[in-house]
Amino acid sequence: SLSAAELQQIVRDAGIVGLGGATFPTSVKLSPPKGKTIEMFVINGAECEPYLTADHRLMVEHADRIIDGIRLMKKTIIGIENNKPDAVSAMTAAAASAEGIEVRALPVRYPQGGEKQLIYATTKRKVPCGGLPLDVGVVVANVGTCYAIDRAIREGRPLVERVTTVGGLVNKPSNFLVRIGTPISHLIEAAGGMEDGVKQLLSGGPMMG
């Protein structure tokens, strides 16, 4: 029963930002300037960085919540790299009863998780050099962002946690649901500590971190 403006206000008040890494305010993305129209959403489930599996686990374990967050928007394509068949299956099953949502398995290709590359892979629309996705009528959101939108609107929950991968040279590579502000040392401890010989700690993926 809520209007688009009321939904946008909930997203703004919950402090939801892009959880793909850029942390751009989601409410701004959902409020296009005059003269710009959102024709479709492209949802980023590609997660093309090696080692990172946070979005993968989120899609497998909470596909229904992600689809519900997407359902609150409009026509949508969800792009997932085809090396995550369980995520493709979970998201396809969750989207079966939702109108206007298409799940598309994509070939594994770095850097397909980049906004412009993902738009082209899913829609064949080319964002002009120096332009924004809105210039071709598209808004891109990460699956974690959609999950956060669902929790904000259905439960009144602000963005205070996210799924985080601790991988590479740790004794127990894992994904954790982590409160924002948790010290990295706590995450490394939860992952069984570092293996011998570690020389570098990266925040983010090994390609872009």
Side-chain angles (χ1 to χ4, degrees):
S1 62
L2 296 173
S3 68
E6 288 171 319
L7 293 172
Q8 289 166 344
Q9 188 63 47
I10 292 171
V11 169
R12 184 179 298 111
D13 291 345
I16 295 175
V17 297
L19 293 178
T23 65
F24 188 80
T26 301
S27 62
V28 175
K29 276 191 174 183
L30 300 179
S31 308
K34 193 173 182 179
K36 302 286 186 181
T37 303
I38 300 173
E39 298 174 13
M40 71 168 67
F41 285 95
V42 171
I43 303 303
N44 192 345
E47 198 168 40
C48 58
E49 286 265 4
Y51 291 105
L52 300 189
T53 55
D55 290 346
H56 184 170
R57 293 311 313 167
L58 192 62
M59 288 187 284
V60 170
E61 297 181 28
H62 293 291
D64 54 341
R65 301 296 301 266
I66 295 168
I67 293 297
D68 194 46
I70 293 168
R71 195 198 305 260
L72 297 166
M73 297 190 281
K74 56 164 56 184
K75 180 184 176 184
T76 303
I77 299 172
I78 305 168
I80 307 171
E81 289 192 333
N82 60 16
N83 62 347
K84 306 171 183 63
D86 51 352
V88 172
S89 296
M91 294 292 283
T92 300
S97 61
E99 189 177 343
I101 298 178
E102 176 189 352
V103 178
R104 193 172 296 174
L106 304 173
V108 179
R109 190 174 294 147
Y110 185 85
Q112 195 154 231
E115 210 172 45
K116 294 178 180 179
Q117 291 87 343
L118 187 64
I119 290 170
Y120 183 74
T122 53
T123 70
K124 296 302 181 229
R125 300 184 183 192
K126 291 185 178 181
V127 178
C129 185
L132 296 171
L134 263 179
D135 295 329
V136 292
V138 175
V139 165
V140 178
N142 175 264
V143 291
T145 306
C146 297
Y147 179 65
I149 288 172
D150 180 72
R151 298 180 90 194
I153 291 172
R154 301 292 186 193
E155 302 172 5
R157 185 186 293 265
L159 180 61
V160 295
E161 58 190 12
R162 64 159 297 143
V163 179
T164 301
T165 299
V166 184
L169 297 178
V170 290
N171 290 303
K172 192 174 70 173
S174 306
N175 287 293
F176 301 106
L177 183 62
V178 180
R179 291 284 177 91
I180 292 168
T182 299
I184 289 175
S185 59
H186 289 200
L187 301 182
I188 293 171
E189 182 182 349
M194 290 184 179
E195 295 181 3
D196 292 338
V198 173
K199 295 180 180 178
Q200 191 174 40
L201 179 66
L202 289 176
S203 176
M207 308 295 281
M208 296 289 287

